[in-house]
Amino acid sequence: MAIQPLPHGLETDLQIYQAELQRTKNGKGIFLQVGFNVLSAQYPKRRVWHKFFIEGAPKTALDVSAQLYWQMLDSLGFDEDSEPAPAIPGMYQKVVIPEYLGRRVRGRIKLKKGTNGFADTNEISLFIACKQ
């Protein structure tokens, strides 16, 4: 039995367990794949992933990715006045993600409709500040 996607609009605490820079299938783009454990008693042992596009994607996808990336950093307590800015290659200069592994964020889950025979999946639509 396939696991059903999480409900659209669910707000839940998430914990970062993975952050990996990857190339797109065609090799022309780069994205940061971040994996989150869902910290909800209602949805135990569930995970959700989000791709932050860096290069080789349409401008709209790059803009949305940059906005969500900085939203995630803000929800982690990033203070641009007192710390150097973590950045993504192509948009800025380098990825500084290992220090965020294990950290918690609060996110709103969205349902992404499957295409070309692929099942529906989840991704993050919004990051919300939460206590660390």
Side-chain angles (χ1 to χ4, degrees):
M1 173 190 241
I3 295 175
Q4 295 299 310
L6 297 166
H8 181 79
L10 173 71
E11 285 190 13
T12 187
D13 290 335
L14 305 163
Q15 185 174 33
I16 300 171
Y17 78 89
Q18 174 191 32
E20 192 173 283
L21 204 53
Q22 298 180 16
R23 287 211 167 270
T24 56
K25 289 180 185 178
N26 68 11
K28 296 179 181 179
I30 299 173
F31 62 91
L32 178 65
Q33 176 87 28
V34 179
F36 301 88
N37 289 316
V38 175
L39 304 177
S40 166
Q42 188 176 2
Y43 301 100
K45 298 182 181 179
R46 296 293 299 272
R47 290 183 167 175
V48 65
W49 293 265
H50 192 86
K51 289 181 182 178
F52 296 96
F53 289 97
I54 298 165
E55 291 179 1
K59 182 176 179 345
T60 303
L62 293 172
D63 291 347
V64 169
S65 287
Q67 180 183 8
L68 278 172
Y69 179 73
W70 286 102
Q71 218 176 64
M72 181 182 75
L73 293 181
D74 185 53
S75 70
L76 288 169
F78 171 73
D79 180 357
E80 62 184 282
D81 295 332
S82 63
E83 299 178 37
I88 295 179
M91 290 181 189
Y92 309 104
Q93 296 199 353
K94 63 179 181 174
V95 172
V96 181
I97 269 298
E99 64 201 53
Y100 299 115
L101 296 179
R103 301 281 304 270
R104 290 182 178 197
V105 296
R106 186 158 182 87
R108 182 176 301 145
I109 306 295
K110 77 175 182 180
L111 186 66
K112 184 177 177 184
K113 290 287 186 190
T115 58
N116 299 323
F118 288 98
D120 295 349
T121 59
N122 290 122
E123 61 184 18
I124 311 295
S125 66
L126 176 72
F127 289 99
I128 305 157
C130 69
K131 293 182 180 180
Q132 293 295 316

